[in-house]
Amino acid sequence: MMLFELFETLIGIYMSLGFGTNEYKIESKMEKIKCDHPKAYEIYVQNQALFETDAELSKKVLDLDVKNKMAVNDTVNEIYAHFAVAA
């Protein structure tokens, strides 16, 4: 019983610090692609609340496989199209 309570407490602390949340995951993925796509990262920083609340946009980023360059390019192009930015 004590072990379960300890585990539950650790999970609570982990989640309260923001780790494991969708906001953290989106930020982490955008950080990973900023070297190759600084303009997309800049758009993210300027519109962070929208990235976290817009269901379609957040799903695109959350589903992104950052190791797949083609998928990253497709997602970045979709971000540019969403914000009407020339690539």
Side-chain angles (χ1 to χ4, degrees):
M1 192 67 155
M2 288 281 287
L3 186 60
F4 179 73
E5 289 173 0
L6 177 63
F7 181 71
E8 212 172 56
T9 303
L10 291 175
I11 294 296
I13 292 171
Y14 177 80
M15 293 300 285
S16 70
L17 292 174
F19 300 109
T21 62
N22 285 345
E23 292 83 2
Y24 177 78
K25 292 175 186 176
I26 291 170
E27 182 177 357
S28 177
K29 287 188 181 210
M30 294 305 294
E31 285 276 339
K32 289 178 183 176
I33 68 169
K34 82 176 181 182
C35 291
D36 294 330
H37 302 283
K39 191 187 297 185
Y41 183 75
E42 184 179 321
I43 291 169
Y44 164 71
V45 170
Q46 294 170 351
N47 301 283
Q48 187 172 359
L50 184 62
F51 272 80
E52 295 169 355
T53 57
D54 183 86
E56 182 182 339
L57 192 54
S58 62
K59 182 169 175 33
K60 285 179 186 176
V61 177
L62 289 170
D63 292 344
L64 177 62
D65 177 9
V66 293
K67 294 179 182 175
N68 182 337
K69 294 287 187 190
M70 187 175 288
V72 170
N73 288 335
D74 290 345
T75 301
V76 166
N77 287 333
E78 290 176 17
I79 290 170
Y80 291 160
H82 187 87
F83 291 96
V85 175

